[in-house]
Amino acid sequence: MSETPKQTRVLIIGGGPAGSLLALLLHQREVESVILELRTREHVLERVRAGVIEHGSAEVLRAAGVAGRMDSEGFVHEGVQVAHGEEMIRIDFEGLTGKHVTIYGQTELQRDLYGALDSAGIQLLDEAEGVRVEGIEGDSPMVTFERDGATEQIRCDFVAGCDGAHGVSNGFIPPSLQRTFERTYPFCWVGLLSETPPISDELIYARHERGFALCSMRSESRSRYYVQGSADTTLAEWPDDRFWSELAARLPKTSVASLVTGPSIEKIVTPLRSWVSEPLRHGRLLLAGDTAHVVPPTGAKGLNLAISDVVYLSDALAWFYRAGSTTGLEGYSDRALARVWKAVRFSWWMTNMLHLFPGMSDDFERRLQTTELDYLFGSDNAQRAMAENYVGLPL
Ligand code: FAS
Ligand code: PHB
């Protein structure tokens, strides 16, 4: 186990994409940091999550020097397919915005980030438990935690909470100063990973009377699929056969002809919710990524918001250390939230348009939903609006 430093400039709680990339961006600006991660690296790398890297996020990763494998192994996607029953259109990202996205699994990105941390000599202390913080309202917080049976302490200038939706950092902000906004959706996604060739060379988002479906991929031989399930469903209710038959039933027949099924190598049930916690800063505590906001994966924004948050946060911290100015730090929360809320809106819009809402007895609401799709299918401007949000709004 690596030696625990007694002091650092930025103590990062959480070694997922937000925490790892923040440490790298700070290192590039010669700002020292230490990462405390609750789990082992192996556990973090086992989590199968996001797959879409926005245009701007890819540029950030290139500038951080961690995009080599993404550029050689990732898939550049210049568009996406949207299906409604048997109808299907292509949203032409490149034609409508001049930009594209890259399909590259978060697991692989995390592997690249860990490799870059090691090359840069940045300390990631894993299996750090019971993290607690004192003095965030002063100018030198103290972070205490248990690791390898011993209680450790690190003094720092700033604490960056990057510990995700189930972390502790968000709880360090006084409840009297906090506002949260939430929308829980009455359904979930059942996700399946298989060693089968993807059904299509682009993603397919499908709305069907039986429910939502999404066809994605990880490589030319590894596919990632999702189907909408009830909010209380469990993995036990989704044997592979049922998953494949539901997926096939929700896709246009022309697409199903190319569907190759096979045994699942991983399956998950993930709830869908929109959640934002404001502000992202209190004294010397700054929050970034899922610890401050969660979006339904429909818009493929969660990972990309973690990236834009830490771009803004590293700018603000570098400004402080370079010029002694707190202007960036004072503006960080508003700057990050302005982009977060645009992604929350887009993810909410995609989710509302493409999913069946159980108990949607209101025919007016149901008709609005199909009209949203009709408008998208028939309007270049509507498709341009979807394209510019999907490839990622400017950072
Ligand atoms: P993360 O949750 O990735 O990382 C937080 C890290 O902090 C974890 O490694 C955790 O172990 C650690 N931690 C937690 N508590 C701690 C503590 N007390 N002390 C120290 N460390 C602690 N996004 C998409 O764009 N597309 C998707 O398809 C998609 N699918 C998802 C599926 C699932 C099941 C989940 C949970 C999320 C999904 N997301 C998806 C969102 C996801 O990719 C996040 O947006 C992304 O991981 C955010 O990165 P972080 O903010 O770093 O949080
Ligand atoms: C994925 O490939 O896991 C993926 C792609 C697009 C989404 C969500 C997940 O909107």
Side-chain angles (χ1 to χ4, degrees):
M1 287 242 176
S2 46
E3 186 65 26
T4 303
K6 294 299 173 217
Q7 171 92 26
T8 189
R9 288 202 178 285
V10 182
L11 191 287
I12 299 170
I13 303 175
S20 311
L21 182 59
L22 175 62
L24 276 176
L25 296 177
L26 290 174
H27 179 76
Q28 282 187 329
R29 270 85 164 242
E30 297 174 358
V31 176
E32 182 199 53
S33 65
V34 172
I35 303 172
L36 298 184
E37 165 55 48
L38 177 64
R39 305 289 191 161
T40 64
R41 291 186 183 209
E42 294 69 29
H43 180 95
V44 177
L45 290 170
E46 275 163 11
R47 295 189 299 229
V48 181
R49 285 189 172 167
V52 176
I53 306 286
E54 290 177 351
H55 193 274
S57 296
E59 290 179 340
V60 168
L61 296 172
R62 289 187 191 102
V66 287
R69 261 193 341 132
M70 179 191 74
D71 284 334
S72 58
E73 298 175 19
F75 291 85
V76 170
H77 278 204
E78 297 182 353
V80 75
Q81 311 283 334
V82 179
H84 183 197
E86 287 305 316
E87 274 192 279
M88 188 149 79
I89 59 163
R90 180 173 186 266
I91 307 296
D92 177 7
F93 299 150
E94 199 63 43
L96 292 164
T97 69
K99 295 178 180 176
H100 56 261
V101 297
T102 304
I103 305 300
Y104 188 63
Q106 180 173 323
T107 305
E108 298 316 311
L109 172 61
Q110 189 65 63
R111 205 182 307 281
D112 301 335
L113 287 167
Y114 281 164
L117 291 178
D118 293 343
S119 305
I122 298 168
Q123 269 194 298
L124 183 148
L125 305 178
D126 63 357
E127 297 185 280
E129 299 179 335
V131 171
R132 53 242 189 236
V133 181
E134 296 162 57
I136 55 173
E137 290 164 356
D139 57 11
S140 59
M142 176 67 84
V143 178
T144 307
F145 56 98
E146 273 69 47
R147 187 166 187 257
D148 199 23
T151 297
E152 307 272 13
Q153 291 196 310
I154 301 178
R155 176 82 60 193
C156 56
D157 299 335
F158 294 95
V159 176
C162 301
D163 47 349
H166 307 292
V168 295
S169 300
N170 189 281
F172 297 146
I173 294 202
S176 60
L177 301 177
Q178 212 165 33
R179 283 194 68 192
T180 56
F181 306 81
E182 181 158 22
R183 168 69 50 85
T184 300
Y185 298 92
F187 39 75
C188 74
W189 278 15
V190 183
L192 179 144
L193 196 65
S194 58
E195 281 302 340
T196 57
I199 187 173
S200 158
D201 56 8
E202 289 185 331
L203 271 58
I204 302 175
Y205 286 86
R207 181 194 184 277
H208 189 276
E209 283 309 312
R210 297 180 68 89
F212 168 83
L214 169 61
C215 304
S216 185
M217 63 201 66
R218 289 293 179 271
S219 71
E220 285 165 356
S221 60
R222 179 168 286 200
S223 298
R224 180 72 166 162
Y225 295 107
Y226 300 92
V227 294
Q228 173 184 346
S230 63
D232 59 355
T233 197
T234 63
L235 273 183
E237 294 175 339
W238 289 90
D240 288 8
D241 290 351
R242 181 189 178 197
F243 184 95
W244 290 119
S245 65
E246 268 309 320
L247 179 71
R250 301 180 187 189
L251 297 173
K253 291 183 181 55
T254 50
S255 302
V256 175
S258 313
L259 179 61
V260 178
T261 65
S264 58
I265 53 177
E266 193 260 2
K267 265 193 289 196
I268 59 158
V269 170
T270 183
L272 269 68
R273 70 187 177 118
S274 301
W275 176 82
V276 180
S277 170
E278 300 180 1
L280 306 191
R281 178 191 175 215
H282 177 63
R284 291 297 179 106
L285 171 69
L286 300 117
L287 304 179
D290 276 19
T291 191
H293 42 73
V294 173
V295 287
T298 326
K301 291 300 162 208
L303 172 59
N304 293 289
L305 284 177
I307 291 172
S308 50
D309 282 355
V310 298
V311 166
Y312 299 149
L313 181 50
S314 59
D315 283 350
L317 287 164
W319 193 355
F320 173 82
Y321 284 109
R322 189 178 61 247
S325 165
T326 59
T327 306
L329 292 167
E330 286 153 19
Y332 164 65
S333 185
D334 287 346
R335 185 184 183 199
L337 285 169
R339 190 172 195 273
V340 163
W341 273 106
K342 293 184 179 74
V344 166
R345 182 208 69 83
F346 177 67
S347 305
W348 168 85
W349 174 76
M350 286 273 283
T351 302
N352 273 279
M353 180 172 67
L354 294 169
H355 290 75
L356 277 196
F357 282 68
M360 186 192 264
S361 55
D362 181 342
D363 289 343
F364 178 77
E365 288 291 326
R366 190 181 290 275
R367 185 64 93 230
L368 274 187
Q369 199 183 38
T370 51
T371 303
E372 192 69 39
L373 274 161
D374 290 349
Y375 176 53
L376 178 68
F377 274 49
S379 163
D380 289 347
N381 290 332
Q383 293 174 27
R384 181 173 287 104
M386 177 178 166
E388 77 162 349
N389 280 278
Y390 197 95
V391 300
L393 297 177
L395 266 74

